[in-house]
Amino acid sequence: MRDGKNECGQEKPLHRTDYGIIGAKPQSEIVAEFAAFVSPGKVDVYRALGFDAVPGRREGVYIWDLEGKRYVNCRSSGGVFNLGHRHPSMVVALKSALESLDIGDHMLLSEHRAKLAARLAELTPGDIRYTFFTPSGGEACDLAIKLARGYTGRPGIISAIGGYHGHTGFALSAGDPRFKKYFEPLMPGFKQVPFGDAGALERAVDETTAAVIFETLPATAGILIPPDDYYPRVREICDKAGALLILDEVQAGLGRTGRMWAIDEWQVVPDMLVLGKGLSGGMYPISAVCYRPQIDEFLRRDPFVHLSSFGGADLGCACALAMLDEICRPGFLEHVSEMGERFERGFSELKEKHPDLVSGWRRRGLMMAFELKEDRLGPMMTYALGKNGVIAVFSDFRPKAMQIMPPLIIEPDEVDFVLDAMDRALSLMRKMLADGVEIPYIP
Ligand SMILES: Cc1ncc(COP(=O)(O)O)c(C=O)c1O
């Protein structure tokens, strides 16, 4: 198209502005199109879970489907929407960055990458200083493992049983058999140990171990919380063997637990901290590995040994800087803790009221697992919550643990709405069980 004319010489507006339009077709047609051209399998799964709705308008803690039904998003895409949907500061940040920036060239130097890395160096624990940016969390975990092998010259990587670090090569190798069983043989040198058991870790780590990689609070395993002395012992075990400690805070970091970093609770400094999801403020993909200065000795030898065209895109850096300003505002982390406590009081009432279905909960800040009595109840609760206006999923590797991960900006009346919906969902589940209605367990 040249001079405002298309190939046929007809007048055509230079810029179309309707690419982001929502609801151009009825929801049922979009579901059919998704099934026809993206994934019929996913449509089947969402139908079974009663959630074959298409998210349309989104604002704050809410998503509306294309038929106008409103949901509180208690999935938050695992933390991508820590600031909720389309947080006003994030919208302004991205729009204004678009006035001057694009993705940038990852091979060249970058003002915005430097500024964001310097900010992260201020905020991350201990002497963590350098940051390497990637688009996704999986790629960041891959890179952390590569850095560990490159720096130590050792092959061994130890991760947690039920850990989840993404679907790329090294990250997948460190993960659970559920996602890797079809793709064997994967990377050699990987071992898994039970999470929270320092003795098991001590037995597994040796002079061939490059790194131990854990999610600080393993989310997909059901938001597990280790004993108080666990991380200090993990740090000691790694130090004794000369192995590095990589903590994956893709979900648990950036204020989710009511602390800037989940590991702050244990006052342990990892050698590398992996960030993703919420780092973009829900606006632009960006993830990162932040690491201690000595690890850079390896990259100094060849700073181009790992490359990523979209890693640390200038637009993403601008969004991340805006997101960090939001979560560093006075009172932000206190708000997360207060909302978490409000949920916890509600969970306690729900357990009392529904003792046949609820067995307990685990929680740090707004990183919460609401645990049911049996695995098959997890998919059923996802279904029943959907019917009551809340999106929440069960943990993949522990389906009885519902993940309740609302945006961190959730307000007290919204917390109460979710708790009410959980109450109604549990009553609906009891009725479904009495009527013999099953939601197929979807692994
Ligand atoms: C703890 C953790 N690490 C890594 C990843 C992978 O991130 P991404 O999906 O951006 O590759 C995820 C994604 O859910 C995650 O939860």
Side-chain angles (χ1 to χ4, degrees):
M1 195 175 87
R2 295 175 63 194
D3 304 330
K5 299 202 167 146
N6 68 15
E7 295 74 11
C8 308
Q10 295 154 334
E11 291 295 334
K12 214 175 166 192
L14 272 177
H15 307 293
R16 276 179 63 180
T17 53
D18 59 348
Y19 293 112
I21 210 161
I22 286 175
K25 289 185 198 172
Q27 180 157 284
S28 57
E29 277 181 40
I30 295 171
V31 172
E33 190 171 55
F34 195 96
F37 297 107
V38 184
S39 171
K42 280 187 181 151
V43 169
D44 286 349
V45 168
Y46 292 128
R47 276 207 177 115
L49 289 172
F51 193 73
D52 51 339
V54 180
R57 186 181 152 211
R58 61 221 58 191
E59 218 73 62
V61 301
Y62 299 109
I63 287 179
W64 287 259
D65 73 15
L66 293 180
E67 287 171 356
K69 178 166 176 182
R70 193 186 76 170
Y71 299 86
V72 175
N73 188 355
C74 281
R75 197 182 105 69
S76 299
S77 193
V80 171
F81 298 109
N82 276 351
L83 293 184
H85 293 278
R86 300 176 45 72
H87 188 286
S89 305
M90 296 308 310
V91 172
V92 168
L94 182 57
K95 274 189 179 165
S96 62
L98 277 167
E99 293 297 322
S100 46
L101 297 177
D102 57 14
I103 283 172
D105 184 330
H106 68 118
M107 292 289 273
L108 303 182
L109 307 184
S110 154
E111 176 178 354
H112 297 84
R113 224 176 299 144
K115 194 166 167 192
L116 175 59
R119 185 85 174 99
L120 287 169
E122 271 169 25
L123 294 172
T124 45
D127 61 348
I128 288 179
R129 168 147 161 215
Y130 293 106
T131 296
F132 198 124
F133 296 102
T134 64
S136 71
E139 203 177 320
C141 289
D142 268 21
L143 172 63
I145 291 169
K146 286 170 76 176
L147 288 179
R149 282 188 167 175
Y151 173 71
T152 62
R154 300 171 175 189
I157 303 294
I158 297 174
S159 59
I161 295 171
Y164 180 87
H165 303 284
H167 290 264
T168 45
F170 289 103
L172 185 64
S173 305
D176 194 85
R178 147 107 162 84
F179 292 121
K180 62 184 182 190
K181 62 185 178 218
Y182 305 108
F183 311 112
E184 305 279 2
L186 289 170
M187 309 288 177
F190 284 69
K191 254 192 265 181
Q192 286 176 285
V193 294
F195 181 75
D197 178 345
L201 181 68
E202 196 158 26
R203 288 189 292 281
V205 170
D206 61 24
E207 67 292 342
T208 67
T209 307
V212 171
I213 178 166
F214 290 144
E215 293 165 80
T216 309
L217 305 175
T220 312
I223 306 189
L224 307 181
I225 296 174
D228 288 348
D229 66 346
Y230 187 57
Y231 277 115
R233 289 210 47 209
V234 169
R235 183 67 273 183
E236 249 171 57
I237 293 164
C238 288
D239 287 345
K240 205 163 129 209
L244 300 180
L245 174 60
I246 304 169
L247 290 179
D248 174 346
E249 297 220 354
V250 165
Q251 289 209 34
L254 298 166
R256 170 59 55 184
T257 62
R259 295 180 154 90
M260 182 60 78
W261 314 110
I263 193 60
D264 288 349
E265 174 174 347
W266 288 272
Q267 303 202 340
V268 160
V269 179
D271 298 294
M272 298 189 228
L273 192 65
V274 182
L275 314 180
K277 293 210 186 255
L279 187 58
S280 66
M283 283 293 164
Y284 202 97
I286 186 165
S287 303
V289 187
C290 307
Y291 52 94
R292 297 174 91 172
Q294 59 270 34
I295 295 165
D296 199 58
E297 286 164 22
F298 165 66
L299 283 177
R300 276 226 98 144
R301 280 183 251 144
D302 182 354
F304 298 97
V305 76
H306 184 93
L307 299 171
S308 174
S309 298
F310 299 138
D314 286 341
L315 284 171
C317 292
C319 289
L321 283 160
M323 188 285 305
L324 290 172
D325 280 349
E326 280 307 314
I327 65 172
C328 289
R329 276 185 202 285
F332 186 91
L333 296 176
E334 289 77 4
H335 175 81
V336 175
S337 299
E338 278 163 28
M339 293 307 102
E341 282 156 22
R342 193 174 184 101
F343 265 109
E344 183 153 0
R345 288 193 292 276
F347 290 169
S348 161
E349 283 167 23
L350 289 172
K351 183 168 189 267
E352 235 167 72
K353 192 163 168 194
H354 304 276
D356 50 330
L357 299 173
V358 180
S359 68
W361 62 87
R362 291 176 290 283
R363 181 186 77 83
R364 285 294 185 272
L366 285 169
M367 185 149 188
M368 305 182 285
F370 184 74
E371 186 126 332
L372 301 163
K373 292 259 158 131
E374 293 173 58
D375 278 342
R376 69 183 178 131
L377 298 179
M380 189 176 275
M381 190 151 187
T382 291
Y383 173 90
L385 279 171
K387 295 287 157 225
N388 284 285
V390 171
I391 302 173
V393 290
F394 52 93
S395 307
D396 244 304
F397 305 152
R398 191 179 172 93
K400 64 182 165 186
M402 293 300 295
Q403 296 178 349
I404 308 294
M405 299 263 293
L408 307 182
I409 51 139
I410 194 165
E411 289 294 333
D413 55 325
E414 295 161 339
V415 173
D416 296 346
F417 175 89
V418 173
L419 289 166
D420 262 7
M422 290 175 79
D423 186 18
R424 280 180 270 123
L426 288 162
S427 300
L428 172 59
M429 287 160 67
R430 186 172 301 104
K431 182 165 181 323
M432 288 166 75
L433 288 167
D435 295 346
V437 179
E438 289 282 340
I439 298 297
Y441 167 64
I442 298 130

Coordinates of all heavy atoms in Angstrom, one line a residue, residues 75 77-78 80 135-141 163-168 171 214-220 248-252 274-277 286-287 367, ligand 1:
R75 N -6.8 -15.8 39.5 CA -5.7 -16.6 38.9 C -4.6 -15.6 38.6 O -3.4 -15.9 38.8 CB -6.2 -17.2 37.6 CG -5.3 -18.3 37.1 CD -5.8 -18.9 35.8 NE -5.0 -18.4 34.7 CZ -3.8 -18.8 34.5 NH1 -3.2 -19.6 35.3 NH2 -3.1 -18.3 33.4
S77 N -3.1 -15.0 36.2 CA -2.1 -15.6 35.3 C -0.8 -15.9 36.1 O 0.3 -15.6 35.6 CB -1.9 -14.7 34.1 OG -1.1 -15.3 33.1
G78 N -1.0 -16.4 37.3 CA 0.2 -16.7 38.1 C 1.0 -15.5 38.6 O 2.1 -15.7 39.1
V80 N 1.0 -12.4 36.6 CA 1.2 -11.4 35.6 C 0.4 -10.2 35.9 O 0.8 -9.1 35.8 CB 0.7 -12.0 34.2 CG1 0.6 -10.9 33.2 CG2 1.6 -13.2 33.7
P135 N 12.5 -12.8 27.4 CA 11.0 -12.5 27.3 C 10.2 -13.3 28.3 O 9.4 -12.8 29.0 CB 10.7 -13.0 25.9 CG 12.0 -13.1 25.2 CD 13.1 -13.4 26.2
S136 N 10.6 -14.6 28.5 CA 9.7 -15.5 29.3 C 10.4 -16.0 30.5 O 11.7 -16.0 30.6 CB 9.2 -16.7 28.5 OG 10.3 -17.6 28.3
G137 N 9.6 -16.5 31.5 CA 10.2 -17.0 32.7 C 11.0 -18.3 32.4 O 12.0 -18.6 33.0
G138 N 10.4 -19.1 31.5 CA 11.1 -20.4 31.1 C 12.5 -20.1 30.6 O 13.5 -20.8 31.0
E139 N 12.6 -19.1 29.7 CA 13.9 -18.8 29.1 C 14.8 -18.2 30.2 O 16.0 -18.5 30.2 CB 13.7 -17.8 28.0 CG 14.8 -17.8 27.0 CD 14.5 -16.8 25.9 OE1 13.4 -16.7 25.4 OE2 15.5 -16.1 25.4
A140 N 14.3 -17.5 31.2 CA 15.1 -17.0 32.3 C 15.6 -18.1 33.1 O 16.8 -18.1 33.5 CB 14.3 -16.0 33.1
C141 N 14.8 -19.1 33.4 CA 15.3 -20.3 34.1 C 16.3 -21.1 33.3 O 17.3 -21.5 33.9 CB 14.1 -21.2 34.5 SG 13.1 -20.5 35.8
G163 N 8.4 -29.3 41.1 CA 8.8 -28.0 40.8 C 8.3 -27.6 39.4 O 8.0 -28.5 38.6
Y164 N 8.2 -26.4 39.1 CA 7.8 -25.9 37.8 C 8.6 -24.7 37.4 O 8.5 -23.7 38.1 CB 6.3 -25.6 37.8 CG 5.8 -25.1 36.4 CD1 5.4 -26.1 35.4 CD2 5.8 -23.8 36.1 CE1 5.0 -25.7 34.2 CE2 5.4 -23.4 34.8 CZ 5.0 -24.3 33.9 OH 4.6 -23.9 32.6
H165 N 9.3 -24.8 36.3 CA 10.1 -23.6 35.9 C 9.9 -23.3 34.4 O 10.7 -22.5 33.9 CB 11.6 -24.0 36.1 CG 11.9 -24.3 37.6 ND1 12.0 -23.4 38.6 CD2 12.1 -25.5 38.2 CE1 12.2 -24.0 39.7 NE2 12.3 -25.3 39.5
G166 N 8.9 -23.9 33.8 CA 8.6 -23.5 32.4 C 8.8 -24.7 31.5 O 9.2 -25.8 31.9
H167 N 8.7 -24.4 30.2 CA 8.6 -25.5 29.2 C 9.8 -25.5 28.2 O 9.8 -26.3 27.3 CB 7.3 -25.5 28.5 CG 6.1 -25.8 29.3 ND1 5.6 -27.1 29.4 CD2 5.4 -25.1 30.2 CE1 4.6 -27.2 30.2 NE2 4.5 -26.0 30.8
T168 N 10.8 -24.6 28.5 CA 11.9 -24.6 27.6 C 12.9 -25.7 28.1 O 12.7 -26.3 29.1 CB 12.6 -23.2 27.6 OG1 12.6 -22.8 29.0 CG2 11.8 -22.2 26.8
A171 N 14.8 -25.6 31.7 CA 13.7 -25.4 32.7 C 12.8 -26.7 32.7 O 12.4 -27.2 33.8 CB 12.9 -24.2 32.3
F214 N 15.1 -23.9 43.1 CA 13.8 -24.1 43.7 C 12.9 -22.9 43.4 O 13.4 -21.7 43.3 CB 13.9 -24.2 45.2 CG 14.5 -25.4 45.7 CD1 15.3 -25.3 46.9 CD2 14.3 -26.6 45.1 CE1 15.9 -26.5 47.4 CE2 14.9 -27.8 45.7 CZ 15.7 -27.7 46.8
E215 N 11.6 -23.1 43.2 CA 10.7 -22.0 43.4 C 10.7 -21.7 44.9 O 10.5 -22.6 45.7 CB 9.3 -22.4 43.0 CG 9.0 -22.7 41.5 CD 7.7 -23.4 41.4 OE1 6.6 -22.8 41.4 OE2 7.7 -24.7 41.3
T216 N 10.8 -20.5 45.3 CA 10.9 -20.2 46.8 C 9.7 -20.8 47.5 O 9.8 -21.5 48.5 CB 11.0 -18.7 47.0 OG1 12.0 -18.2 46.2 CG2 11.3 -18.4 48.5
L217 N 8.5 -20.7 46.9 CA 7.3 -21.3 47.4 C 6.7 -22.1 46.2 O 6.0 -21.4 45.4 CB 6.3 -20.3 47.9 CG 6.7 -19.4 49.0 CD1 5.6 -18.3 49.3 CD2 7.1 -20.1 50.3
P218 N 7.0 -23.4 46.0 CA 6.5 -24.1 44.8 C 5.0 -23.9 44.6 O 4.2 -24.4 45.4 CB 6.9 -25.5 45.0 CG 8.1 -25.4 46.0 CD 7.7 -24.2 46.9
A219 N 4.6 -23.3 43.5 CA 3.3 -22.9 43.2 C 2.5 -24.1 42.6 O 1.4 -24.4 43.1 CB 3.2 -21.7 42.3
T220 N 3.0 -24.6 41.6 CA 2.3 -25.7 40.8 C 2.1 -26.9 41.7 O 1.3 -27.7 41.5 CB 3.0 -25.9 39.5 OG1 3.2 -24.7 38.9 CG2 2.1 -26.7 38.5
D248 N 13.6 -19.3 42.0 CA 12.7 -18.9 40.9 C 11.5 -18.2 41.6 O 10.7 -18.8 42.3 CB 12.2 -20.2 40.2 CG 11.1 -19.9 39.2 OD1 10.5 -18.8 39.2 OD2 10.9 -20.8 38.4
E249 N 11.5 -16.8 41.5 CA 10.4 -16.1 42.1 C 9.5 -15.5 41.0 O 9.0 -14.4 41.1 CB 10.9 -15.0 43.0 CG 11.7 -15.6 44.2 CD 11.4 -14.9 45.6 OE1 10.8 -13.9 45.6 OE2 11.9 -15.4 46.6
V250 N 9.4 -16.3 39.9 CA 8.5 -15.8 38.8 C 7.1 -15.6 39.3 O 6.4 -14.6 38.9 CB 8.5 -16.9 37.7 CG1 7.4 -16.7 36.7 CG2 9.9 -16.8 37.0
Q251 N 6.6 -16.4 40.2 CA 5.3 -16.2 40.8 C 5.4 -15.6 42.2 O 4.5 -14.7 42.5 CB 4.5 -17.6 41.0 CG 4.1 -18.2 39.7 CD 2.8 -19.0 39.8 OE1 1.9 -18.7 40.6 NE2 2.8 -20.1 39.0
A252 N 6.4 -16.0 43.0 CA 6.4 -15.6 44.4 C 7.0 -14.2 44.7 O 6.8 -13.6 45.7 CB 7.1 -16.6 45.2
V274 N 15.3 -15.4 39.8 CA 14.6 -15.4 38.5 C 13.2 -14.7 38.7 O 12.5 -15.0 39.5 CB 14.4 -16.8 38.0 CG1 13.7 -16.8 36.6 CG2 15.7 -17.6 37.9
L275 N 13.0 -13.7 37.8 CA 11.8 -12.9 37.8 C 11.0 -13.0 36.5 O 11.7 -13.2 35.5 CB 12.0 -11.4 38.1 CG 13.0 -11.1 39.2 CD1 13.2 -9.6 39.3 CD2 12.6 -11.7 40.5
G276 N 9.7 -12.9 36.5 CA 9.0 -12.9 35.3 C 7.6 -12.4 35.6 O 7.4 -11.5 36.4
K277 N 6.6 -12.9 34.9 CA 5.2 -12.6 35.1 C 4.9 -11.2 35.4 O 4.8 -10.3 34.6 CB 4.6 -13.6 36.1 CG 4.6 -15.0 35.5 CD 3.6 -15.9 36.1 CE 3.6 -17.3 35.7 NZ 2.6 -17.7 34.7
I286 N 8.3 -9.5 29.8 CA 9.7 -9.3 30.2 C 10.0 -10.2 31.4 O 9.1 -10.2 32.3 CB 10.1 -7.8 30.4 CG1 11.6 -7.7 30.7 CG2 9.3 -7.2 31.5 CD1 12.1 -6.3 30.5
S287 N 11.1 -10.8 31.4 CA 11.5 -11.7 32.6 C 13.0 -11.4 32.8 O 13.6 -10.7 32.0 CB 11.3 -13.1 32.3 OG 9.9 -13.4 31.9
M367 N -0.4 -15.1 48.2 CA 0.0 -16.3 47.6 C -0.7 -17.4 48.4 O -0.2 -17.7 49.5 CB 1.5 -16.5 47.5 CG 1.9 -17.7 46.7 SD 3.5 -17.3 45.9 CE 3.6 -18.8 44.9
Ligands
LIG1 C1 7.6 -20.5 39.1 C2 7.6 -20.4 37.6 N1 8.7 -20.4 36.9 C3 8.8 -20.2 35.6 C4 7.7 -20.1 34.8 C5 7.7 -20.0 33.3 O1 7.4 -18.8 32.9 P1 6.9 -18.5 31.4 O2 5.5 -19.1 31.3 O3 6.9 -17.0 31.3 O4 7.9 -19.2 30.5 C6 6.4 -20.2 35.5 C7 5.2 -20.1 34.7 O5 4.1 -20.3 35.1 C8 6.4 -20.3 36.9 O6 5.2 -20.3 37.5

